[in-house]
Structures are given as structure tokens and as C-alpha cells.
Amino acid sequence: MSKEKLKQIFIEEATEIIEKMDIDILNFEESPSDKGLLNEIFRGVHTLKGSANAFNFSRLGEFVHHFEDVLDFFRSSDVAPNASHVDVFLEGVTVIKETLVYEVEDQSGTPDGYEACLEKIRNIILHVKSQEEPKSVTCNDLALEFGNDDFEMTPQKKENEEEFFSALQEDEKLFKITLKLDTDIYLRGFDHFLFFKNLLHVGRILSSFWQIPQCDDLESFNAENNEIKEVTVYLASLKMVEDIADVFAFLETEEFEVMLVSPPQKEVEVFKNEEKVEVKEEIKEEKSKTVVAQKSFLKIDSQKLDELFDSIGELVIAQNYLGENSKIKAVKDAEVTKTIENLSKITKLIQNRVMGLRMIPIRDTFEKMKRVARDSSKKVNKPIHLVLEGEDTEIDKTMVEALSDPLIHIIRNSIDHGIESTPADRLKAGKEEEGVVTLSAYHKGGNIIIEVRDDGRGINKQKVYQKALERGIINASDELSDAQVYGLIMQPGFSTADTISDLSGRGVGLDVVRNAIEGVRGKIDIVSAEGKGSTFSIVLPLTLAIIDGMIVRCSDKIYIIPTLSIIESFRPQQESVHIAGGKEEFVQLRSELLPIIRLARALELEHTSPNPWESTLVCIENDKGKFALLVDELVGRQQVVIKTLGEFFAKTEGVSGGAVMGNGEVALILNVEELY
């Protein structure tokens, strides 16, 4: 594998490790007695150190080296990190993220806060160690570190493979690992014991044999060079050779060898021929099972997944065309009909399974919000408890990536604006001192709903309305529903904050949220009750590749309206239709007066002008409110594969894409935001 390829793998793994460290530190803050979490954080930092030094990322290597020292102290002592230490740990993770970017992009210098955070880490080591009583160190500490009573450093001991075979547990295999590390191994960030620790993740070390040279001249001895020429390790493991070799992925091929040791021949000869065959078959079967287990998780380029999904979309279109072909329908043959029905079922099954490949749990995104809530809580000095619900809800991977920034803005807004300013204010309102922000996800119909709820003071509707009047966003004559008033807070530059803080007050945030959500074909609703709290609901489609749409006909052409935007469809009574100024048409729908938009006129089609009471009206809601779209007829509801229209048609007003129907015709998908 090339150095560049290894570097790319390191960057991907380092990013995953850093994100996991953030979550583990926050979980450790909630459970400070959990040494397992501390060990997980330590292992992540330790892996980063070795890999960073291997690629000569000196700034990252130095920082994580000191970070590792602090974590190593706490995990091996009875002293527990306090709140200020956890703050430094989280600050350290932020610096590691930024330093990694500096190293990858080969920028000079160090990121802001690098030296200050490094100094804090050094001070923690000095402070906590000064309070620790010196402990006696025994020569058995090394064996205890590896949990291996048989660990030997004497080269005189002979290798007894029969003894090692007798120590194997059920299904374990014996491996012989030979390490011949170069003299510069320490400068590359590795040592023998690092590999011993990593080997414990894939098996049990039964014994080791060291060829340690005699050093008579101490003056010529260089501690920075590796003088241990060869180390042999016997490992018991359930893994395959390839998995164990992965432990040494950053070494040169001549520096290590992993070999599966075969059982002594004499033991096999005791069995009859039939039994020997049976044993071999069992071993072969066992290997097959192991291989299958190892392939249960694969990393796949998302672009390849998208290409596969596009191909499945073409298959669905071809199948629909086949099913609706008039010539095939004319064939009155039971076998043909049955075959087409089976093809339809299989195509649908494949489509659902491929769609499932794109779906991932939203847990990781939700877990990241813990850090956002914690940092925001500290900045505004409000005690906040973040509750997560429905973390296992699956959502399209593309939407997961697009959700991160909107959720950050909404959570910050809930903490800064929603939760009362002080614990005393909450107590006066009959609430707990600690504000509660709940982040939840669940399925509803054919959509994913993500909610951010707070138990704060709610949105001051009158204040929002007055601010919108002052800015000229609305007119005094406008009659707005509660939902429309709350929606004003997502206008660009809109803010009701009296002062500007690190989190809010500049009018930047919620308009970004709305644009991001609309970018993935979703919408956001706001419900609030003064004195009780607010709920921001993000409604998203299950996937970006397929849309659930209502098919309508207008001027003998087919169009698709996203069902997410449709409230209802109806045919009005003649007395419910009103005309203003001889041109503008309105329809009375219960207590609301809705403007009528003729689709044929909006798209500049050749059209007649049928009376609204002789046509079908579709009640649609967009950011500007509700309106009634006049179409000739409703054809039906269907899931369709979205196709882009290309650069030439990309800016066509009122249209967002297209879809190939079962009869081969192309139907345009309407953009309801641009129709009214």
C-alpha cells in the first residue's frame, strides 16, 4: 500500500477517533467513576500519537503526547479528573481537530489556543503529581500491564510450541509473530510494547522471546536507537492472519512476520483417514465462517453507493414501463402476467434494500450535540440538561450530514433565547433550576420528524410581531396566524435579542436553518406556548433520491406535487369563489380565504380558463402561507425517482426536477415555493 493511501486512511480514522473522543469525554463527565471510558479516550489519543509521528506530523504528535501523559496518569491512579480537568480535555480535543487540519493542509504555525491549552495540560500533570504520594515500582509492573503472568524477557527460555497448543482455548489458533524493528523505530513513534498492547485487542499473548544484545560500552549506547534485534511472540487468537497483520500496518514488510502455526503432525495421525478428512473439513468450515464474520462491515465509497442507487432507479423505471406497456397488457396469458408481477415484487425488494444501504442511525449526530449544549450552557451560564430520544432512528446519510449545522443553531437558540435567563427566574415560574432541551427523532407517515423542545419561556409573539413591523418585513394590515408569526424569526437578519452575545443577537442562524432544511426538501414548523416552551419540528423525506408525490394533470400534461407540501385537495362550491378587481381569484376554505393560482397560467401553458368550481383545487402551504393550486384533475399518488434537469433547465421557475413515469413520459416536479 502506498504512503499516500496510508495517509488518507489515517486522516479518515483520525477524524473518527476525534469525534468519538468528544462523545466519550462528555459521557465520562456524567460517569466519572467509569475507568473504561477513560481507557477508551486514552487508546484514541495513543493511536493518534503513533500515527501522527509515523507521518511526521510533529505538532500533532507533540500535543497528543502530553495529552496522553495526563490521561495515563488518571487511568492508572485513584485520583479522578474534576470539572476543570474535563474542560481542558474538551478544549484539547478542539485543538487536536484544528491541528490535524494544519498538518494535512501543510499550514505553518499552530492554531489559536494551541500553546495555551498545552500549558494547561502540563500544569495538570505538575499539579496532580505533586499531590500524589510516591509509589514503589516493582519489576512485575510490566507483566501486570499486559495482564500476562508468563511474560518473559530472558532470551534463554526455549520455545515450546506443544506447550502453547495445550494452552489454547476453544476455537483459538496459535500464531507466531516475529518483530525485527529498525533502529529508528522510536523516532517513528512506535516501540515493541505499543504493539504488545495492540495485540491484546486481537488475542492473548502466551509468551515472548527477546534477543537482547549485551552492551558493554554504556558511553556508546544511544537510547534513541532500537538495539533489540528480534522479538518472537506467540499469540492465541480467534482472528485470521490478515487481522493480526493489520496491527503492524504502519511497519515496513521486512520488519514483521505473522505466521499461523500448524498443530503437531503426530496428533493428527492418531485419527483414522475418515476422521482426518472430517477434521480438515471442520477447520475449512471454521475458516469460512470467520471470513464471513469479518466481511459483515465494509467501508464503501458513497459515490459508488449513489451510482448503484441510480442504476436501481433506472431498473424501477424500466419495470414500470414494462408493467404499463399496452402491447404486453394485450397479451392474455397467465404466465406472462405472473412473471411481470414477480418482476415487480423483486424490483421493489431490491429498491428497498438498496435504499436501506443509505440509511444510518442518527445517533452520532445527536451525540455531537452534547458538546454543543455543554459549551452553550457554559457561555450563557445556564444549567442545561440535554435529553436524547430516538437516536436509533435511521435516516438518509446525505441528510445526516446536512442536519448538523441546523441542529447546532436550533439548540443554541433554545438555550440562549428559550431557557430563562437565571435559575431564579425558573424557580419563580414553578420549574426546576436546570433547563431541559430535548432532541428527538421518529418516523411519522412517510417522513422523518426531528424535534428540538425546550421547557423555557416560549416565544414572545407580540415582540416578534413588533420587530417585524419595525423592519418592514410585514405590514400592519397583514393578518398572520401564530405559525406565520413564529416563522418570522427565520427571516434573514431577524433577531429579538436585546444584546449581542457569542451565541446570538446578530440575526444570523435560523435563516441558515431554514435554507439548509429546504436544501434537503424538508420544512420546519414552530410551535410555542409562552411560559411553557417551544418546539422546532424538522420534517424530512425518508430519502433524497425518491419523492412521494401527488400526480396532477394540467393542459394534457402530467406534473408532480411533493405530498409534503399538500394539506388537502377539494372541489369548491360556486358561492365559495370570489373575484377581486375582476382578476384576482380567491376561495373560501372553512374560515380561511385562499388565493387561487392557476397552474397553467403560472407555467405559461396553452390553456383554457375553466371555472374554479368545475376544477380541482389543491391546498398547498409554503413559506408565504397557504394557496389553492388549480389543476384539471388528480391522477394519483406515487413514489418517483428524482432526476435533475441539467444546467440549462436548472433555473426554470416553478420546477425543481423531473421523473420518468411508467409509460416513459417525463413529469416535472413542481417547486411550490416559486408558484406563489
Side-chain angles (χ1 to χ4, degrees):
M1 191 178 292
S2 67
K3 193 85 170 178
E4 196 59 38
K5 181 64 175 176
L6 284 173
K7 183 178 177 180
Q8 187 59 41
I9 292 173
F10 161 67
I11 293 169
E12 292 173 3
E13 291 183 347
T15 304
E16 292 177 6
I17 289 170
I18 293 168
E19 289 179 354
K20 188 175 185 301
M21 282 167 54
D22 237 346
I23 296 167
D24 285 342
I25 291 172
L26 291 170
N27 291 336
F28 178 74
E29 185 179 32
E30 296 174 0
S31 308
S33 60
D34 190 344
K35 287 283 187 180
L37 279 172
L38 203 56
N39 285 326
E40 277 292 312
I41 301 164
F42 172 82
R43 278 194 288 270
V45 174
H46 188 76
T47 303
L48 282 177
K49 184 186 79 169
S51 302
N53 290 331
F55 291 105
N56 201 27
F57 290 167
S58 56
R59 293 164 293 185
L60 180 60
E62 181 187 4
F63 189 89
V64 294
H65 171 71
H66 292 287
F67 199 174
E68 180 191 39
D69 287 344
V70 173
L71 295 170
D72 192 35
F73 171 80
F74 283 118
R75 79 189 186 104
S76 58
S77 75
D78 295 330
V79 179
N82 57 35
S84 62
H85 295 154
V86 173
D87 289 340
V88 175
F89 293 169
L90 289 170
E91 185 181 344
V93 174
T94 302
V95 171
I96 290 172
K97 289 179 188 175
E98 295 171 353
T99 306
L100 179 63
V101 174
Y102 269 64
E103 297 283 20
V104 172
E105 297 180 355
D106 202 20
Q107 299 181 34
S108 60
T110 55
D112 294 338
Y114 180 96
E115 294 296 340
C117 187
L118 194 57
E119 188 62 30
K120 290 178 185 177
I121 289 173
R122 288 171 176 153
N123 288 338
I124 290 176
I125 299 174
L126 293 174
H127 180 69
V128 293
K129 285 193 174 181
S130 65
Q131 296 179 341
E132 274 277 283
E133 295 182 3
K135 296 180 180 178
S136 59
V137 179
T138 69
C139 61
N140 292 325
D141 281 348
L142 187 61
L144 291 174
E145 173 72 10
F146 290 103
N148 184 7
D149 297 334
D150 297 326
F151 188 86
E152 292 289 341
M153 299 232 5
T154 57
Q156 292 81 10
K157 184 178 178 181
K158 294 183 179 180
E159 302 175 16
N160 186 349
E161 293 184 354
E162 291 186 14
E163 179 184 332
F164 301 147
F165 272 109
S166 65
L168 293 180
Q169 297 176 3
E170 185 179 358
D171 295 333
E172 282 187 333
K173 297 182 284 289
L174 182 65
F175 295 90
K176 181 179 179 180
I177 302 165
T178 306
L179 298 178
K180 297 179 181 179
L181 306 185
D182 288 344
T183 55
D184 65 344
I185 193 67
Y186 303 146
L187 299 176
R188 285 152 54 195
F190 302 108
D191 58 49
H192 295 84
F193 298 120
L194 169 63
F195 294 116
F196 270 66
K197 287 184 178 181
N198 291 339
L199 282 173
L200 291 177
H201 295 301
V202 294
R204 298 184 300 117
I205 297 176
L206 300 179
S207 190
S208 61
F209 302 89
W210 301 65
Q211 292 185 14
I212 301 177
Q214 296 294 327
C215 183
D216 299 326
D217 185 8
L218 291 178
E219 292 184 0
S220 64
F221 180 75
N222 187 351
E224 293 185 353
N225 290 341
N226 169 43
E227 300 296 340
I228 302 172
K229 300 303 180 185
E230 185 174 317
V231 177
T232 303
V233 183
Y234 282 90
L235 182 80
S237 176
L238 299 171
K239 303 289 185 179
M240 303 295 287
V241 172
E242 295 80 7
D243 302 311
I244 298 169
D246 284 345
V247 173
F248 311 102
F250 291 102
L251 291 181
E252 300 296 336
T253 53
E254 63 270 12
E255 290 183 290
F256 74 96
E257 181 184 16
V258 180
M259 184 175 66
L260 176 63
V261 182
S262 300
Q265 190 67 28
K266 62 181 182 180
E267 293 184 14
V268 178
E269 290 176 354
V270 173
F271 299 100
K272 296 179 182 179
N273 290 337
E274 294 83 357
E275 291 174 335
K276 280 199 283 185
V277 172
E278 187 178 342
V279 169
K280 288 180 180 178
E281 287 178 351
E282 287 177 0
I283 293 172
K284 186 176 181 180
E285 184 181 351
E286 175 193 339
K287 287 183 179 179
S288 301
K289 289 180 180 177
T290 307
V291 170
V292 172
Q294 292 304 315
K295 290 185 178 180
S296 56
F297 293 100
L298 295 174
K299 284 188 176 180
I300 301 175
D301 189 342
S302 59
Q303 185 177 350
K304 291 183 179 179
L305 213 55
D306 291 340
E307 290 171 356
L308 173 62
F309 200 91
D310 289 341
S311 300
I312 294 298
E314 296 296 335
L315 177 62
V316 171
I317 292 168
Q319 189 276 323
N320 288 339
Y321 182 74
L322 188 64
E324 295 185 20
N325 188 288
S326 57
K327 292 182 179 179
I328 294 177
K329 284 184 176 181
V331 178
K332 304 298 182 182
D333 188 289
E335 286 297 323
V336 172
T337 304
K338 184 178 179 181
T339 302
I340 292 176
E341 288 176 355
N342 286 337
L343 176 62
S344 177
K345 290 177 183 178
I346 294 170
T347 304
K348 187 68 176 175
L349 180 64
I350 295 173
Q351 180 187 9
N352 290 337
R353 287 184 176 175
V354 173
M355 278 180 64
L357 294 177
R358 296 170 60 112
M359 308 296 278
I360 60 173
I362 203 170
R363 178 182 298 278
D364 288 346
T365 302
F366 274 22
E367 292 281 2
K368 291 175 189 176
M369 297 304 119
K370 289 183 178 179
R371 175 74 185 273
V372 175
R374 184 186 188 277
D375 291 348
S376 302
S377 170
K378 296 274 186 184
K379 284 183 179 179
V380 298
N381 198 26
K382 298 178 183 178
I384 300 294
H385 177 55
L386 179 67
V387 178
L388 303 181
E389 298 175 351
E391 308 100 295
D392 293 325
T393 302
E394 291 191 335
I395 189 171
D396 192 293
K397 184 180 184 296
T398 309
M399 284 190 281
V400 168
E401 294 165 354
L403 269 177
S404 185
D405 283 346
L407 287 179
I408 288 172
H409 285 299
I410 295 174
I411 288 173
R412 284 177 174 171
N413 183 78
S414 295
I415 292 173
D416 195 25
H417 287 289
I419 302 298
E420 289 81 356
S421 301
T422 64
D425 291 341
R426 289 184 60 82
L427 290 174
K428 286 180 183 176
K431 303 175 183 178
E432 298 289 336
E433 289 188 11
E434 187 178 57
V436 178
V437 177
T438 304
L439 181 58
S440 64
Y442 57 92
H443 290 273
K444 184 178 181 182
N447 301 311
I448 301 283
I449 313 295
I450 297 172
E451 290 184 349
V452 180
R453 303 190 302 272
D454 66 70
D455 67 342
R457 54 195 164 198
I459 298 174
N460 188 327
K461 190 169 65 174
Q462 190 60 33
K463 188 175 182 180
V464 171
Y465 185 81
Q466 289 298 328
K467 199 80 172 182
L469 279 177
E470 293 171 12
R471 290 178 55 92
I473 297 174
I474 59 173
N475 299 316
S477 59
D478 293 340
E479 294 184 6
L480 303 178
S481 65
D482 288 353
Q484 288 173 317
V485 173
Y486 297 144
L488 293 172
I489 67 176
M490 289 186 288
Q491 292 293 323
F494 191 91
S495 176
T496 57
D498 298 321
T499 58
I500 294 177
S501 68
D502 290 341
L503 296 184
S504 62
R506 294 177 175 83
V508 178
L510 291 183
D511 65 311
V512 175
V513 171
R514 186 186 63 184
N515 293 336
I517 298 304
E518 289 177 355
V520 289
R521 298 204 318 275
K523 67 175 184 176
I524 183 166
D525 297 323
I526 304 173
V527 176
S528 183
E530 288 195 45
K532 294 183 179 180
S534 304
T535 299
F536 288 75
S537 299
I538 299 172
V539 185
L540 298 168
L542 282 175
T543 176
L544 291 178
I546 290 177
I547 188 173
D548 189 41
M550 181 67 71
I551 302 172
V552 300
R553 189 183 303 278
C554 182
S555 297
D556 295 326
K557 292 181 175 61
I558 294 294
Y559 297 93
I560 300 170
I561 307 172
T563 54
L564 198 63
S565 306
I566 298 175
I567 298 175
E568 61 181 295
S569 59
F570 62 100
R571 174 165 289 189
Q573 298 293 325
Q574 183 174 351
E575 57 270 19
S576 300
V577 178
H578 308 280
I579 300 176
K583 186 176 181 181
E584 299 296 331
E585 297 174 302
F586 296 87
V587 62
Q588 187 78 34
L589 180 61
R590 291 181 286 276
S591 60
E592 295 180 286
L593 191 64
L594 306 179
I596 296 175
I597 305 297
R598 292 177 178 266
L599 180 59
R601 186 180 298 166
L603 298 181
E604 299 180 0
L605 305 173
E606 294 181 6
H607 66 285
T608 56
S609 298
N611 294 317
W613 54 88
E614 296 173 343
S615 305
T616 300
L617 299 182
V618 182
C619 181
I620 295 174
E621 185 174 27
N622 63 13
D623 285 340
K624 297 175 184 176
K626 296 179 183 178
F627 65 96
L629 186 67
L630 189 149
V631 297
D632 293 343
E633 65 171 318
L634 298 181
V635 177
R637 181 175 175 177
Q638 185 177 326
Q639 285 192 339
V640 294
V641 180
I642 300 171
K643 298 290 183 183
T644 57
L645 298 177
E647 294 182 7
F648 186 76
F649 294 102
K651 296 182 180 179
T652 304
E653 189 172 342
V655 176
S656 61
V660 181
M661 307 306 291
N663 58 4
E665 291 183 12
V666 175
L668 296 178
I669 301 171
L670 300 178
N671 184 345
V672 298
E673 299 296 333
E674 296 176 351
L675 291 176
Y676 169 67

